[in-house]
Amino acid sequence: MKKNIKILFSMFIAVFLLVGCGENAEGTENDESNNEPTEVASWNENLLDPNDPETIRFYSYTLGVAGATEGIENLVQAFNDTVGSEQGIILEAIHDADYQKSVSDIQAGLQVDIIQQTFRGMASDIESKALVPLESAIPQELMDEHFTPFPENAMELGVLNDDTYAIAWTFSTPILFMNVDLLEEAGIDAEGGPENWEELYDWAKQVRENTDAYGFGYSPGTESTQWSMDSLLYSGNASVLNEESTEATFNTPEAIEVFEFMDKFYEEDISLTATDSEIGESFRAGNTAMYIQSTAAYNSISSAFEENGWTFDGYPIPGFGDQASVPTNSGSGLSIRQPEDEKKAQAMWEVIKFLTGEEAYTTITSEIGYLPLRTDIAEDPEYLQGFLEENPIIQRNIERLPDIQSQTQWPATGYPTTIETFTDFRQRIFTTDADIQEEADKAVEQMNKMLPDEPEF
Amino acid sequence: MDDRIEVENTINLDDSVKNKKKRKFNWQPYVFSLPTLIILATWFFFPLFKNLGYAFFDWNLLPTTEPEFVGLENFSNLFNHPDFWVAAKNTVFYTVALLPFTIVLPLFISSTTQNMNPKIRYVYRAILILPLIIPPVVVSTVFSWLLNPTNGIVNNVLMNFNLLESPITFFTDANFSRWTILLITAWKMLGFSTLTFSTALSSVNQDYYEAASLDGASKTKQFFDITLPLISPTVLFMIMMTILFGGQWTFAFIDTLTQGGPYGTTTNFYYLMYEFAFNYSNVGLSAATSLVFMAFVGGLAVVLQFVRQKLVFYDN
């Protein structure tokens, strides 16, 4: 019996070792790092061939957003029907659920070419997704020519240490959506929107007192609302981090003033202390009068209100007092991973060119709601002029583009624990009776231990 | 003397024949075991030992990067992580608080419905198993609708009956979020536990109850003196399942409904491991967490085995 057990155990170890040896060790055959970065800064000839198509896998989180899926699918189909079939490129779009599908596929060694990249965690994602500067794969002169109509401040958002890691693609600024009928029911004329946050607070309180609905909806602590929280802080002359992103600064008197103002909405039960999606559902169901969101939600809000026969409107979020608000951008850029060869790089460029072209932005704006970064098409009757005349909310959003400031640039060091610390801080101060200054001091101290000593970018 | 030598030689000859028979190797059991061994080695032991190794390295799982040996740094970072002790506390909370829903309540339901009409019993068992077979993400979606602060039926009913002045935000209020995750998990596992106990009750010899009834024992006495001891193996099995897997059962709901919030109040070790690996892209930290958790759970398993030997009664 003992001998049998020994034989069985030996067999097991043998099998185990065989299985172990079967795995590719890191740094061997499939390792991309063995290939030197392709020098494709200048292309001599078009290597694309319709008879030998190149497949490009494009990871998009917007593909999974309710109300936006069809728009992205239409874009992909349009590419494959036109440029794709002419040039020999097959574009596959994959839903980048929770921004993690691209990461897990990369870790699994699958082909990941172009990623719809948020700006929030870009510094960290450069490493975790092995993103490369677009200049290393695509000739600069081609990009310069194609992106001329794009606002310069938008193009700079994807630049770190003088390298372009993301081309601005889908953008919005924070928009205050309003249920006009609910506001009217509460005795408020919503024309033009509230002049400032103080008036917004008064309107919200009036709605709460005179109707069954909530006056305002803004999630107290969801990471997806970080971009609009940045806008609020900038508008109040405050910020989460300093310019070098080496120090947390959200415990300054100016920042505390913003937090204390926003806390009134929750303290007085004027706003739900719910998740962003719950508040969005509440607004679409007519149970919340005002809601801050990007215009990516425009289509779904529009269809919900149309179905119920309600009227909605939207304006850029106001500033505090008589100061103008400072808009930040939600949305994303297009990032790339190292192409294996020049042919792949050319295929990637054709996809990026298409996705940032006039037809694509017409689709993106009219079918999804993001802003056309090619602002010239806003006044072109062939593209968006008619649509914008019928949808003034989007037009008002476009007018904010030149004033966009970058949302907080989170350094890779300490990310994502740093942003989680700030999100937890927001949740704590807005959903409990915790002292805001005390909590801010604690969170700042905690965050400063995680931030880099020297600027990363 | 010659006879004895002859007998000894005969005996020696017999031994030699026997040894020859012993030396004939039977290869069949080993060959038949091979597929199982390969599967176990590939899907269980290899990942397990690989994971244990990663706990001492810093790596983001990218094929383009090399793991860097960091010794015990991952463990130090783990114990100093702001969410570690909260996750530990929540793991214990979910485990202990699930026990009434996987042991006490199912036992009560199964014992009170054991003598139901067989046809009705089949129907109720089918209904009970439904939550278990519904995918967790679907369950999460349904409960997010039911518990929505303004649109959900739960808040609407409570407010219509004037039991609430303001709706409860079940997923963002720290007073409710953990209990909400627990109750959704309990709802999902209740059917499985009830059916397990129903099966155990069906296997108890009815003669014991007849004899006890003749002796004048009440139903309650019969339950505690006959039923409970005879189904003690199943009871301990469910206790072990709950203690060892309770935290894991909550993972899907934490991921889809609260993402560990508000401010970490719903996170547990399983979610922490997932976050470290896939949100932080820090395999080393995730592996260190799994190693610590494995040691803890392994110790519990040993204790439970000891308890099993002392308390469990087998009717044979």
Side-chain angles (χ1 to χ4, degrees):
Chain A
M1 179 62 182
K2 277 188 187 174
K3 187 179 172 188
N4 290 346
I5 291 171
K6 281 183 194 169
I7 292 170
L8 207 60
F9 184 70
S10 305
M11 278 183 67
F12 173 77
I13 294 296
V15 167
F16 177 80
L17 287 173
L18 276 171
V19 169
C21 291
E23 186 206 27
N24 281 328
E26 287 81 31
T28 56
E29 292 170 352
N30 296 335
D31 184 7
E32 292 173 50
S33 68
N34 277 344
N35 302 326
E36 290 297 319
T38 306
E39 293 291 333
V40 288
S42 63
W43 297 337
N44 295 322
E45 57 174 332
N46 183 6
L47 298 172
L48 296 169
D49 179 3
N51 297 319
D52 182 25
E54 190 74 42
T55 301
I56 298 292
R57 285 165 61 87
F58 168 46
Y59 284 69
S60 165
Y61 66 82
T62 306
L63 193 56
V65 173
T69 304
E70 204 177 321
I72 299 293
E73 285 174 347
N74 288 342
L75 270 182
V76 172
Q77 190 61 51
F79 175 85
N80 284 327
D81 289 344
T82 55
V83 176
S85 62
E86 286 163 18
Q87 300 266 17
I89 306 168
I90 299 169
L91 179 60
E92 288 178 12
I94 298 103
H95 174 211
D96 195 5
D98 295 330
Y99 321 109
Q100 290 305 310
K101 176 77 172 138
S102 52
V103 174
S104 54
D105 280 4
I106 290 167
Q107 290 168 346
L110 298 179
Q111 177 189 345
V112 177
D113 300 313
I114 301 175
I115 302 172
Q116 183 185 4
Q117 175 66 39
T118 60
F119 295 103
R120 186 167 67 232
M122 193 168 70
S124 170
D125 287 347
I126 287 171
E127 188 187 321
S128 65
K129 296 179 186 177
L131 303 177
V132 298
L134 274 86
E135 296 91 343
S136 70
I138 301 165
Q140 186 68 51
E141 58 271 21
L142 292 179
M143 291 199 291
D144 288 343
E145 188 190 339
H146 181 74
F147 294 115
T148 304
F150 279 52
E152 204 177 310
N153 58 347
M155 292 300 288
E156 280 168 9
L157 295 175
V159 177
L160 284 181
N161 296 328
D162 298 325
D163 286 326
T164 307
Y165 283 96
I167 287 288
W169 190 46
T170 55
F171 264 43
S172 174
T173 66
I175 292 292
L176 180 72
F177 289 98
M178 304 184 299
N179 184 327
V180 174
D181 297 329
L182 256 182
L183 289 166
E184 266 178 28
E185 191 185 322
I188 298 164
D189 178 8
E191 182 67 37
E195 269 189 36
N196 49 35
W197 271 100
E198 288 77 7
E199 188 170 33
L200 193 160
Y201 168 79
D202 291 337
W203 286 13
K205 197 166 179 183
Q206 200 170 327
V207 167
R208 195 73 180 117
E209 285 167 357
N210 297 326
T211 70
D212 291 332
Y214 277 86
F216 177 61
Y218 185 65
S219 181
T222 310
E223 201 175 300
S224 61
T225 57
Q226 178 65 42
W227 68 285
S228 49
M229 189 73 230
D230 283 328
S231 176
L232 284 168
L233 286 169
Y234 293 160
S235 303
N237 301 309
S239 63
V240 179
L241 302 179
N242 64 354
E243 258 191 62
E244 295 81 24
S245 297
T246 55
E247 200 182 314
T249 54
F250 57 89
N251 61 343
T252 59
E254 293 82 4
I256 300 300
E257 201 177 321
V258 172
F259 295 134
E260 282 174 349
F261 180 84
M262 295 305 294
D263 194 35
K264 287 197 304 185
F265 287 97
Y266 308 110
E267 285 269 326
E268 297 172 29
D269 198 33
I270 298 171
S271 172
L272 276 171
T273 54
T275 64
D276 191 42
S277 58
E278 284 175 330
I279 292 175
E281 284 164 19
S282 176
F283 179 75
R284 289 176 185 83
N287 293 321
T288 296
M290 294 182 282
Y291 170 49
I292 290 180
Q293 191 45 277
S294 87
T295 46
Y298 182 76
N299 265 356
S300 62
I301 290 173
S302 178
S303 47
F305 272 65
E306 207 175 289
E307 211 170 293
N308 289 286
W310 303 330
T311 313
F312 79 102
D313 204 350
Y315 289 89
I317 59 168
F320 292 97
D322 53 9
Q323 289 184 29
S325 64
V326 177
T328 50
N329 63 290
S330 79
S332 60
L334 297 173
S335 296
I336 65 171
R337 299 190 69 240
Q338 184 65 48
E340 298 112 56
D341 51 33
E342 194 173 302
K343 185 182 176 192
K344 171 76 87 175
Q346 290 182 3
M348 282 179 171
W349 171 238
E350 289 300 324
V351 172
I352 291 173
K353 241 183 13 177
F354 180 87
L355 292 177
T356 53
E358 288 91 348
E359 279 82 12
Y361 272 118
T362 304
T363 304
I364 287 169
T365 302
S366 60
E367 295 186 28
I368 300 172
Y370 281 119
L371 304 183
L373 293 179
R374 290 186 167 276
T375 48
D376 52 342
I377 66 173
E379 288 163 18
D380 192 332
E382 194 184 328
Y383 296 112
L384 284 173
Q385 189 187 47
F387 173 81
L388 292 175
E389 281 166 4
E390 290 169 18
N391 297 274
I393 296 175
I394 310 287
Q395 180 63 50
R396 292 171 201 146
N397 201 349
I398 292 174
E399 286 161 9
R400 301 279 277 168
L401 267 179
D403 301 325
I404 277 180
Q405 274 191 31
S406 168
Q407 51 180 293
T408 300
Q409 290 288 313
W410 295 91
T413 305
Y415 190 86
T417 313
T418 43
I419 195 172
E420 281 173 11
T421 303
F422 185 68
T423 306
D424 287 351
F425 157 73
R426 282 169 56 198
Q427 285 177 338
R428 206 184 289 275
I429 61 169
F430 292 140
T431 63
T432 69
D433 294 327
D435 182 80
I436 295 177
Q437 183 70 62
E438 258 179 49
E439 291 296 324
D441 290 337
K442 265 195 294 191
V444 161
E445 190 186 337
Q446 194 178 348
M447 202 185 286
N448 281 338
K449 289 179 194 167
M450 296 183 264
L451 290 169
D453 297 324
E454 299 293 327
E456 285 184 358
F457 35 77
Chain B
M1 182 63 98
D2 288 338
D3 289 341
R4 198 166 66 177
I5 291 171
E6 196 177 333
V7 169
E8 280 175 0
N9 284 341
T10 306
I11 290 170
N12 286 339
L13 186 62
D14 287 342
D15 283 343
S16 164
V17 168
K18 281 181 191 171
N19 283 341
K20 273 189 186 170
K21 282 185 181 172
K22 273 189 188 171
R23 277 197 294 272
K24 187 184 173 186
F25 178 66
N26 186 2
W27 51 268
Q28 285 181 344
Y30 302 104
V31 172
F32 287 128
S33 304
L34 204 56
T36 307
L37 285 177
I38 291 173
I39 290 168
L40 273 177
T42 309
W43 296 108
F44 186 75
F45 288 105
F46 177 70
L48 175 66
F49 289 116
K50 197 81 179 170
N51 182 61
L52 296 180
Y54 284 147
F56 303 95
F57 287 83
D58 178 23
W59 192 42
N60 59 10
L61 262 185
L62 281 187
T64 51
T65 56
E66 293 280 341
E68 184 192 333
F69 181 74
V70 292
L72 297 175
E73 191 179 305
N74 286 325
F75 294 94
S76 167
N77 291 341
L78 174 65
F79 291 121
N80 288 314
H81 193 277
D83 287 344
F84 175 74
W85 295 108
V86 174
K89 198 176 74 171
N90 287 342
T91 307
V92 172
F93 166 78
Y94 288 128
T95 305
V96 172
L98 266 176
L99 283 171
F101 299 98
T102 56
I103 308 296
V104 178
L105 194 55
L107 205 48
F108 174 76
I109 295 172
S110 55
S111 58
T112 50
T113 55
Q114 187 60 23
N115 297 320
M116 232 184 225
N117 179 296
K119 285 183 185 171
I120 298 175
R121 198 163 63 216
Y122 294 142
V123 171
Y124 103 78
R125 282 184 179 181
I127 292 170
L128 274 177
I129 203 69
L130 271 178
L132 188 68
I133 60 176
I134 298 174
V137 173
V138 174
V139 170
S140 299
T141 306
V142 170
F143 272 98
S144 71
W145 291 337
L146 290 173
L147 301 177
N148 186 286
T150 54
N151 310 342
I153 192 171
V154 172
N155 273 304
N156 282 338
V157 166
L158 290 173
M159 290 187 68
N160 284 340
F161 283 102
N162 294 319
L163 295 170
L164 285 178
E165 280 183 15
S166 295
I168 300 172
T169 50
F170 287 96
F171 303 116
T172 52
D173 186 336
N175 295 318
F176 289 95
S177 52
R178 226 169 31 161
W179 286 99
T180 306
I181 296 292
L182 173 79
L183 290 173
I184 295 173
T185 308
W187 174 84
K188 197 159 191 331
M189 301 313 297
L190 185 68
F192 169 69
S193 307
T194 307
L195 283 174
T196 305
F197 286 129
S198 293
T199 309
L201 287 171
S202 300
S203 66
V204 173
N205 192 338
Q206 297 300 307
D207 293 344
Y208 294 125
Y209 295 110
E210 285 175 20
S213 298
L214 286 172
D215 286 344
S218 66
K219 291 286 181 196
T220 309
K221 196 145 175 61
Q222 286 178 33
F223 176 81
F224 283 102
D225 291 349
I226 298 174
T227 308
L228 219 45
L230 288 175
I231 65 167
S232 59
T234 307
V235 172
L236 192 73
F237 166 73
M238 282 311 304
I239 291 175
M240 279 180 71
M241 287 281 286
T242 307
I243 290 175
L244 298 178
F245 298 110
Q248 188 181 358
W249 293 337
T250 59
F251 170 80
F253 307 117
I254 295 171
D255 187 41
T256 49
L257 295 170
T258 62
Q259 294 84 51
Y263 45 92
T265 50
T266 57
T267 192
N268 64 9
F269 271 131
Y270 287 96
Y271 190 70
L272 215 57
M273 276 189 268
Y274 166 81
E275 263 203 308
F276 289 155
F278 298 108
N279 289 351
Y280 288 39
S281 290
N282 191 334
V283 170
L285 196 54
S286 179
T289 311
S290 68
L291 196 54
V292 167
F293 188 54
M294 189 179 81
F296 171 66
V297 167
L300 267 181
V302 168
V303 168
L304 287 169
Q305 285 295 93
F306 177 74
V307 167
R308 183 182 68 84
Q309 283 169 13
K310 290 288 178 191
L311 294 182
V312 169
F313 171 79
Y314 294 95
D315 184 23
N316 53 8

